[in-house]
Amino acid sequence: MSKNTVSDRFRKVDVDEYDENKFVDEEDGGENQLGPDEAEVDSLIRQGNLMGALQAVLKNPPINTKNQNVKDRAEGLVLKVLSSFKASDIEKGVQSLDKNGVDLLMKYIYKGFERPSENSSAILLQWHEKALSAGGVGCIVRVLTARKTV
Amino acid sequence: MHFVQMKTKIALCPNNHDVHIYKKEGNGWTKTQVLKEHNGQVTGIDWAPESNRIVTCGTDRNAYVWTLKGDVWKPTLVILRINRAARCVKWSPKENKFAVGSGSRLISVCYFEQENDWWVCKHIKKPIRSTILCLDWHPNNILLAAGSCDFKCRIFSAYIKEVEEKPAPTPWGSKMPFGEVMFESTGTAGWVHGVCFSESGNRVAWASHDSTVAVAEGGKTAVITSLSSETLPLLCVTFITENSLVAAGHDCYPALFVYDGEKGTLTFGGKLDVPKQSAQKGLTARERFQNLDKKATSDTKEAVLESLHKNSISQISILQGGKAKCAKFCTTGMDGGMAIWDVKTLESAMKDLKIV
């Protein structure tokens, strides 16, 4: 059959963009969210204060920002802290967090699963197990239903 | 499966186009009538106890009001003017109006127009941005709470001047023109599956898909208290006293939640379904091997739900005592089962359960 010579660019149009009823999330002003303080977290890790580092890295989560770099940096920092924990201390680390902290930790864990590096998944799985026993399946449901996440 | 229960009668839809009416006979239920009129799955049923009328709505974008003529239920079509499926329907407390939530991102409030002898509807559209999943009326017959897929629980005014007087002020506000948003929730994410006013109407509770349950108290600024639960999302919630909620959902058991207005806290009060522990049977070597073969584990725990309901509970209805002093409530689920729970029995069966 002869080749179609008419343009088929229309096939690549995202029709959802033109839907007048398209659901747009509320803007929450995330321009000033910078993520956890890298310097503070690094110094706490160097001092060996891992509990403190955990608390620090879970501060200022870049939830509302559209800046992908900020989000990537935050994730990298969290991964650094999670990896520096000894396996036996993970449970204590999770216990030191409040409900919101556990939810936020679970968000970072699943974000970490998305881009695995050499040993990250194994460490994240250990943290996942402890966070699950603290937060229950409800915690995971909140990761899945969050419109704006880390 | 949707169902509504009157004292001795039940109307339910077994997920098809029909509504079945059952009557209680002795200890069992017998089917007395089948209402056939809908062209699509019946998604909502509500039975008005005083006027003895049933309203049904379905995916065929229609609603019917059924009145009993002798022994037969006669349907009257109500034009909802929606272009998507209807999802839920509720009679107002005075039974002179009913509201239908739909996928058309609006609520149809219907009332009967005497002169033309038909049901007319008015639409509440703004600021709803997605399907309405659940509705509940305030006792003043004017305010309507609606839970939606746009992650919000809202209270609207459904004041219809043709059928009622101007309402007195409530904690939710004093000016209530039709369609006015008296309250919009913040702080919870996820589709709002279930919504319920307390008996006084001063509080509204809702259950969201992000595994949270929340209570808002009306006032100059509404106070919202929410609880992130550790369980799977809840699908339905109801007040059983002014301070206690029963909610149930994908975990297949009803649970108690206690709201403390003074402290502003919402806490988990306990599971209401404590299954009797079945004796642990020992596994024979053959069974172990079969387990290993089938399920790749020789674990002795069977993957069987121990709760009464074997699938998600989709609806909770108060049977006796009203929302202030509920004595009995009923749960129905996706397993097609209906269970009646007695509050006094639950209180005595579970030591730490306190219903305030």
Side-chain angles (χ1 to χ4, degrees):
Chain A
M1 295 291 282
S2 55
K3 188 174 167 188
N4 178 9
T5 48
V6 176
S7 168
D8 59 359
R9 267 190 322 176
F10 69 89
R11 296 193 189 278
K12 302 217 170 74
V13 170
D14 180 5
V15 288
D16 287 332
E17 291 296 314
Y18 299 99
D19 181 4
E20 56 204 22
N21 292 316
K22 180 172 187 232
F23 186 87
V24 176
D25 279 297
E26 293 157 2
E27 294 299 314
D28 248 0
E31 289 75 35
N32 292 328
Q33 280 190 341
L34 296 167
D37 187 347
E38 196 156 357
E40 183 189 350
V41 174
D42 276 339
S43 78
L44 284 164
I45 297 182
R46 260 179 281 124
Q47 289 164 21
N49 179 0
L50 294 180
M51 293 297 206
L54 183 63
Q55 299 285 347
V57 84
L58 291 179
K59 277 198 275 203
N60 284 338
I63 291 187
N64 290 322
T65 182
K66 294 210 179 90
N67 187 339
Q68 195 52 41
N69 285 334
V70 176
K71 293 196 180 203
D72 289 342
R73 247 186 306 134
E75 177 62 35
L77 208 54
V78 171
L79 205 46
K80 201 159 58 161
V81 174
L82 297 186
S83 317
S84 26
F85 266 75
K86 272 203 298 248
S88 45
D89 289 337
I90 293 182
E91 181 154 7
K92 251 191 295 167
V94 172
Q95 306 286 13
S96 73
L97 299 174
D98 64 352
K99 249 196 165 138
N100 290 337
V102 177
D103 281 353
L104 183 56
L105 175 66
M106 196 57 106
K107 285 203 173 100
Y108 276 119
I109 290 176
Y110 274 94
K111 189 84 203 291
F113 282 140
E114 284 174 34
R115 298 227 212 105
S117 58
E118 324 143 355
N119 205 23
S120 68
S121 289
I123 296 170
L124 287 174
L125 276 172
Q126 288 178 310
W127 279 91
H128 184 277
E129 185 193 347
K130 300 298 179 209
L132 179 59
S133 45
V137 283
C139 182
I140 300 184
V141 173
R142 276 183 285 286
V143 174
L144 297 174
T145 57
R147 300 280 297 178
K148 297 197 180 119
T149 181
V150 289
Chain B
M1 189 185 101
H2 292 268
F3 114 108
V4 175
Q5 182 173 101
M6 306 292 285
K7 295 211 174 50
T8 53
K9 298 219 179 67
I10 291 183
L12 60 86
C13 166
N15 286 339
N16 57 14
H17 301 347
D18 307 327
V19 176
H20 295 204
I21 311 268
Y22 283 75
K23 195 163 83 160
K24 192 153 213 272
E25 304 213 321
N27 258 338
W29 298 86
T30 41
K31 184 161 31 176
T32 54
Q33 286 123 338
V34 178
L35 312 181
K36 285 179 182 295
E37 196 74 22
H38 276 284
N39 272 328
Q41 191 185 73
V42 177
T43 50
I45 311 177
D46 201 15
W47 200 326
E50 298 299 317
S51 51
N52 199 30
R53 288 175 299 183
I54 300 178
V55 63
T56 58
C57 71
T59 58
D60 59 356
R61 313 188 302 281
N62 287 335
Y64 291 94
V65 174
W66 303 79
T67 24
L68 196 57
K69 297 255 165 26
D71 247 350
V72 183
W73 287 95
K74 288 261 183 280
T76 308
L77 173 65
V78 178
I79 311 272
L80 299 172
R81 296 185 285 127
I82 56 181
N83 55 12
R84 293 289 185 278
R87 272 301 249 106
C88 48
V89 63
K90 272 273 169 78
W91 281 107
S92 70
K94 291 213 180 85
E95 298 173 15
N96 53 359
K97 304 183 288 191
F98 61 87
V100 181
S102 68
S104 299
R105 296 179 309 277
L106 54 84
I107 304 173
S108 298
V109 181
C110 309
Y111 61 98
F112 195 69
E113 211 178 60
Q114 271 308 134
E115 312 116 49
N116 292 326
D117 190 31
W118 67 347
W119 291 86
V120 171
C121 78
K122 277 198 170 143
H123 285 168
I124 299 178
K125 271 190 122 156
K126 291 200 160 65
I128 303 171
R129 299 169 65 206
S130 191
T131 306
I132 296 286
L133 288 178
C134 50
L135 296 166
D136 194 33
W137 286 90
H138 186 284
N140 74 356
N141 209 59
I142 309 283
L143 299 178
L144 180 63
S148 167
C149 278
D150 64 3
F151 322 121
K152 300 267 179 224
C153 164
R154 297 182 181 89
I155 299 181
F156 291 99
S157 161
Y159 167 63
I160 305 269
K161 63 181 192 303
E162 283 86 345
V163 300
E164 54 205 347
E165 298 293 313
K166 259 211 171 100
T170 70
W172 301 104
S174 29
K175 281 215 151 50
M176 288 174 251
F178 179 81
E180 181 87 355
V181 180
M182 312 301 289
F183 166 78
E184 186 174 274
S185 70
T186 51
T188 55
W191 307 314
V192 179
H193 287 294
V195 70
C196 181
F197 269 112
S198 66
E199 175 96 4
S200 65
N202 296 332
R203 296 178 176 164
V204 71
W206 65 94
S208 297
H209 199 68
D210 61 346
S211 288
T212 56
V213 60
V215 173
E217 184 126 31
K220 267 235 155 64
T221 34
V223 177
I224 300 178
T225 316
S226 65
L227 172 66
S228 302
S229 88
E230 293 177 6
T231 57
L232 292 177
L234 297 161
L235 292 176
C236 45
V237 62
T238 184
F239 277 93
I240 53 168
T241 69
E242 197 70 16
N243 298 314
S244 301
L245 299 157
V246 168
H250 290 294
D251 274 313
C252 317
Y253 57 77
L256 179 71
F257 293 88
V258 186
Y259 176 67
D260 188 326
E262 315 243 307
K263 296 202 215 128
T265 57
L266 185 57
T267 43
F268 176 63
K271 263 168 85 152
L272 295 179
D273 181 359
V274 177
K276 295 191 253 299
Q277 299 294 74
S278 52
Q280 286 285 51
K281 332 181 284 183
L283 280 188
T284 64
R286 182 186 165 75
E287 281 165 340
R288 262 184 208 282
F289 182 71
Q290 275 183 330
N291 266 350
L292 201 54
D293 184 34
K294 263 198 286 190
K295 303 185 223 172
T297 170
S298 44
D299 214 328
T300 49
K301 229 175 32 166
E302 293 172 22
V304 164
L305 267 186
E306 290 174 350
S307 54
L308 186 63
H309 277 283
K310 298 306 178 194
N311 205 326
S312 312
I313 296 178
S314 48
Q315 200 178 328
I316 303 185
S317 322
I318 307 275
L319 291 184
Q320 240 181 49
K323 288 192 224 174
K325 278 178 104 180
C326 173
K328 282 204 176 112
F329 63 88
C330 171
T331 52
T332 45
M334 315 235 203
D335 55 353
M338 178 177 98
I340 298 185
W341 309 76
D342 186 304
V343 172
K344 278 225 164 49
T345 320
L346 287 172
E347 256 182 314
S348 49
M350 285 162 219
K351 296 179 299 178
D352 299 322
L353 202 75
K354 260 221 176 75
I355 299 185
V356 296

